[in-house]
Amino acid sequence: MAFALQDSTFKRFVEVGRVVLLKSGPDAGKIAVIAEIIDHKRAVVDGPTTSVPRQSYPYKHLTLTPLALTKLPRGSRSGAIKKQLEKEDTLTKWNNSEWAKKRAAVEKRRGLNDFARFSVMLEKKKRRDGVRKAVKASKA
């Protein structure tokens, strides 16, 4: 029985040009592009627009995103990757994605001080009270 790629449930593959999110290391949380596949455990990633240096990275420390650069040749240098990123407007697509917005919101919440967390709690209580009153009024 032949296996057809269209029948696969997997949509994100390790491929040259795939935009990845780095999960660990000094550049954790930044995005980069797979420039070259080394073997079944590592790839060369490069993020010229996100200040990620060109380096070997293990797949277990990468998260594949749905974004990929088209027609990027294997072993492309930083300049070619940067041109392709700007041409396809990939960073804007990433920043407008729900995934990136959620990560930004989590980072913002993580950076709050005690008083700011208290203020957020009060705002949530106020919103919850308003919703509760509106539901009660609609039922009556």
Side-chain angles (χ1 to χ4, degrees):
M1 185 165 105
F3 176 74
L5 192 59
Q6 290 81 13
D7 298 338
S8 176
T9 58
F10 299 107
K11 304 292 184 230
R12 302 177 197 167
F13 300 104
V14 175
E15 59 185 332
V16 173
R18 175 66 62 184
V19 179
V20 294
L21 179 67
L22 306 179
K23 291 195 288 190
S24 67
D27 297 315
K30 294 181 182 178
I31 61 169
V33 177
I34 294 178
E36 180 72 70
I37 296 170
I38 298 172
D39 57 19
H40 69 285
K41 289 187 175 260
R42 297 172 299 147
V44 174
V45 298
D46 194 1
T49 56
T50 56
S51 69
V52 175
R54 186 180 184 89
Q55 59 189 312
S56 171
Y57 233 82
Y59 295 136
K60 67 181 180 178
H61 298 302
L62 300 175
T63 303
L64 301 175
T65 68
L67 304 172
L69 300 179
T70 56
K71 298 181 182 172
L72 188 71
R74 289 182 59 196
S76 296
R77 300 279 184 198
S78 295
I81 293 173
K82 186 175 183 178
K83 284 180 187 174
Q84 195 73 15
L85 281 169
E86 290 168 353
K87 179 181 172 189
E88 296 185 22
D89 206 20
T90 308
L91 285 178
T92 306
K93 290 177 188 174
W94 168 253
N95 290 331
N96 291 336
S97 71
E98 291 299 318
W99 189 357
K101 289 177 184 177
K102 180 74 171 176
R103 287 182 58 83
V106 167
E107 285 300 316
K108 187 176 180 182
R109 283 293 287 275
R110 206 172 271 161
L112 296 178
N113 61 13
D114 188 43
F115 182 71
R117 283 193 300 274
F118 177 74
S119 300
V120 167
M121 182 197 68
L122 291 180
E123 290 297 319
K124 285 174 74 174
K125 280 175 70 172
K126 191 190 308 183
R127 185 179 64 195
R128 189 170 55 234
D129 189 47
V131 169
R132 187 180 53 79
K133 287 180 180 176
V135 168
K136 190 174 183 178
S138 70
K139 285 184 179 179

